[in-house]
């Protein structure tokens, strides 16, 4: 998936780059996207939540995160969406990027906004 560089700014938000249409993502799966010279992983959960992270796993630097396994954990009584790396299965929170399975570096996460059918990622991340 590649993104044409289309930018916008909502009142009170940072500049954003259009990445893809929400319908380009299948529920429960991720896709890799090339955004402004950076590989990102876009995810759509089974409950139609959208997230973006680096496509590079912090564990090895391998460009694999879009092929990870989406899931969730219950933390302090709340459901937290997660992504498990497809190589060594380290589990990261999709909301904060924190690793839940090892003391390793967090997975960089990027804010995603859905406007109509377009998914926008905050630029400069
Ligand atoms: S490459 Fe991702 S956990 Fe090892």
């Amino acid at each position: 998936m590649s993104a044409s560089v289309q930018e916008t700014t909502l009142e009170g938000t940072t500049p954003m780059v259009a990445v893809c249409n929400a319908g380009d993502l299948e529920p429960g799966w991720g896709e890799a996207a090339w955004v402004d010279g950076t590989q990102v992983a876009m995810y759509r959960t089974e409950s139609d939540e959208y997230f973006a992270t680096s496509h590079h796993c912090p564990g090895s630097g391998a460009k694999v995160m879009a092929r990870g396994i989406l899931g969730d954990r219950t933390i302090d009584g709340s459901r937290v969406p997660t992504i498990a790396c497809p190589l060594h299965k380290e589990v990261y929170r999709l909301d904060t990027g924190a690793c839940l399975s090892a003391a390793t570096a967090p997975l960089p996460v990027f804010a995603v906004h859905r406007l109509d059918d377009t998914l926008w990622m905050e630029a400069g991340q």
Side-chain angles (χ1 to χ4, degrees):
M1 179 183 312
S2 65
S4 60
V5 178
Q6 182 182 359
E7 294 190 16
T8 190
T9 302
L10 293 178
E11 191 173 325
T13 67
T14 57
M16 299 185 297
V17 177
V19 180
C20 62
N21 292 323
D24 293 337
L25 302 177
E26 289 185 52
W29 292 96
E31 289 286 347
W34 185 254
V35 180
D36 252 353
T38 301
Q39 290 191 35
V40 300
M42 302 292 294
Y43 310 97
R44 178 179 179 179
T45 68
E46 293 285 354
S47 54
D48 284 338
E49 299 167 287
Y50 298 90
F51 296 93
T53 71
S54 171
H55 189 40
H56 297 77
C57 178
S60 69
K63 298 169 190 142
V64 296
M65 294 310 293
R67 290 293 169 255
I69 303 157
L70 285 166
D72 56 48
R73 296 265 177 101
T74 300
I75 299 175
D76 296 331
S78 297
R79 180 191 153 274
V80 174
T82 60
I83 184 72
C85 175
L87 292 182
H88 303 114
K89 312 297 188 275
E90 298 297 357
V91 178
Y92 300 90
R93 292 178 66 138
L94 281 172
D95 57 349
T96 66
C99 186
L100 298 174
S101 57
T104 188
L107 176 66
V109 296
F110 312 117
V112 174
H113 305 273
R114 181 177 179 178
L115 301 174
D116 297 322
D117 193 44
T118 303
L119 298 180
W120 298 80
M121 192 181 88
E122 290 190 4
Q125 298 182 48

